[in-house]
Amino acid sequence: AASDHVRLVEVGPRDGLQNEKTAITLETKVELVRRLARTGLQTIEAGSFVSPKWVPQMANSDKIMQDVLSDTPESPVPITYQWLLPNMKGLDNFFSVYGGANKTDQTHQDAYPTPPPTPPPVSQSTPHIEAHGPRHEVSIFMAATESFSQRNTNCSIAESLERFGPLMTAARDKGFAVRAYISVALGCPFEGPDTDPHRVAELSATLLEMGADEISVADTTGMGTAPRTRELLKVLAAAGIRNDDLALHFHDTYGQALVNTLVGLEHGVRTFDSAVGGLGGCPYSPGATGNVSTEDVVYILHSLGLGTGVDLNELSSIGDWITSEVGKPNESRAGKATLAR
Ligand code: HMG
Ligand code: MG
């Protein structure tokens, strides 16, 4: 039976902010990561090492990483920080920031330990929050369609896989886990909604064989519907992709992300990506809006009796704060309702 704990991967600091046109200060970005770390979230994607010409907003991710390394954020649970990167140049930049400053042993096998069933309550005033040595891992990304692959990474699907071979070997040789995203798995802005699920399954299997520790199947455009999500998950299972190796990453453009989350949960998936305040969007996916909001996901999970370890009140305040910092409406219905209580 599937576990009743769900691991949330908070992608707000990366996916949530990367598409913002006006520069967000380093202080705000660091503050966001630090606040999120206190909520009980287990995994935070804190930045990306991509080309600054392609995504200027993420250009100071090295500074965010330096900050996290030099002054470990307080957190009630052990945290994994993910850093998104597309190629060897990105990995080299990641390594040079990480440098000799190996704060924790990255090599232990249980990448995502399930925290105790009832984690301690978290709040600003909780006196016994302790700093845990964080883990760091890299996330790589590719696409399930050729058009999106070209637009987002200037290379074909085959070239992506060629890049990833040496990249994954180099990352894993140094003990870093690797997560791999597959974009446009439920629809492509250039090729339409009918991404071939068998293609997604084939790429997932290849990436796992190459050494990826987890596949995040992404509905970049938010075109996914419940029936097509169910179909995709069936095809993935038939291809031997285990739920334990799978995360789902929903954008909420059509308002279907929570419905699709429920489909994923019923299928047995227990890792979901989301962004606080519903921020986000991929700069190379025109029209796509933010990720499903973490507050909404936490709310639905708790209503189902599933544990996240996340403090919804804290999270809701963060969603309200960061959306106002970036001058956007708070897209989280559950977050706004929680604050209004
Ligand atoms: P390219 O122009 O083909 O790269 O871009 P290149 O290898 O020809 O290099 C050109 C220049 O870029 C060189 O500099 C390189 O050094 C530099 P120059 O000699 O001209 O001064 N460069 C870099 N600089 C810093 N960091 C690097 C890097 N690589 C090259 N890593 C490339 C190819 C892949 C680099 C580019 O297309 C790119 O950076 N793309 C990233 C786009 C992106 O970040 N998209 C958003 C993230 S993915 C996403 O949001 C989807 C996700 O959320 C899941 C979902 O929802 O689908 C994950
Ligand atoms: Mg995304």
Side-chain angles (χ1 to χ4, degrees):
S3 131
D4 59 6
H5 177 79
V6 172
R7 184 171 67 95
L8 296 178
V9 176
E10 169 61 51
V11 297
R14 195 277 304 168
D15 208 343
L17 300 184
Q18 67 183 7
N19 203 23
E20 290 307 313
K21 294 295 165 269
T22 51
I24 299 154
T25 65
L26 178 63
E27 289 66 31
T28 300
K29 291 177 183 174
V30 165
E31 178 70 13
L32 176 59
V33 171
R34 290 188 172 276
R35 289 196 191 191
L36 289 168
R38 297 179 67 96
T39 60
L41 282 161
Q42 288 171 269
T43 309
I44 299 175
E45 193 159 79
S48 66
F49 292 88
V50 298
S51 162
K53 283 178 202 141
W54 285 61
V55 184
Q57 188 65 255
M58 291 286 104
N60 53 6
S61 291
D62 56 337
K63 303 278 190 320
I64 300 170
M65 188 170 165
Q66 270 161 11
D67 185 274
V68 169
L69 284 171
S70 65
D71 180 13
T72 305
E74 289 182 339
S75 63
V77 292
I79 292 199
T80 298
Y81 291 98
Q82 288 176 184
W83 306 91
L84 187 81
L85 49 92
N87 55 12
M88 209 48 127
K89 169 98 183 170
L91 187 68
D92 287 344
N93 291 344
F94 166 83
F95 281 157
S96 73
V97 177
Y98 197 77
N102 197 344
K103 296 289 193 282
T104 45
D105 178 15
Q106 302 293 320
T107 56
H108 64 85
Q109 291 304 300
D110 189 7
Y112 308 113
T114 302
T118 40
V122 187
S123 77
Q124 284 314 100
S125 58
T126 306
H128 56 266
I129 285 186
E130 281 172 44
H132 296 272
R135 294 175 69 255
H136 295 269
E137 70 180 43
V138 302
S139 8
I140 58 179
F141 55 105
M142 65 175 304
T145 68
E146 291 293 347
S147 328
F148 195 78
S149 183
Q150 290 293 347
R151 303 284 181 114
N152 200 35
T153 49
N154 202 23
C155 70
S156 68
I157 291 173
E159 283 163 343
S160 275
L161 291 172
E162 274 165 39
R163 282 179 191 179
F164 291 165
L167 196 164
M168 275 201 231
T169 305
R172 291 170 56 86
D173 278 355
K174 295 211 178 176
F176 294 100
V178 179
R179 142 183 269 230
Y181 289 96
I182 301 177
S183 287
V184 297
L186 286 161
C188 171
F190 314 109
E191 299 187 20
D194 296 318
T195 302
D196 179 4
H198 295 93
R199 187 81 175 113
V200 179
E202 196 185 301
L203 292 171
S204 303
T206 303
L207 288 163
L208 288 168
E209 271 163 34
M210 288 169 71
D213 295 273
E214 175 177 79
I215 307 295
S216 178
V217 171
D219 184 11
T220 317
T221 61
M223 286 178 196
T225 58
R228 285 194 300 105
T229 302
R230 195 172 289 126
E231 173 65 14
L232 174 58
L233 289 169
K234 257 194 220 161
V235 171
L236 287 167
I241 312 298
R242 302 175 323 135
N243 285 335
D244 280 356
D245 293 331
L246 210 55
L248 292 172
H249 178 110
F250 293 119
H251 285 262
D252 201 28
T253 318
Y254 290 82
Q256 301 303 296
L258 275 185
V259 176
N260 296 339
T261 299
L262 202 52
V263 170
L265 284 169
E266 282 172 0
H267 185 81
V269 178
R270 288 295 179 268
T271 305
F272 292 87
D273 302 357
S274 59
V276 69
L279 285 170
C282 177
Y284 297 97
S285 181
T289 65
N291 294 81
V292 63
S293 79
T294 312
E295 300 91 309
D296 288 10
V297 174
V298 167
Y299 186 81
I300 196 178
L301 291 172
H302 291 181
S303 80
L304 293 165
L306 295 164
T308 62
V310 176
D311 182 324
L312 182 58
N313 292 316
E314 284 285 315
L315 193 66
S316 301
S317 309
I318 299 170
D320 217 50
W321 165 73
I322 190 62
T323 50
S324 78
E325 281 291 308
V326 304
K328 286 194 131 175
N330 183 351
E331 297 290 354
S332 177
R333 304 270 284 270
K336 285 187 287 190
T338 299
L339 291 174
R341 270 204 309 250

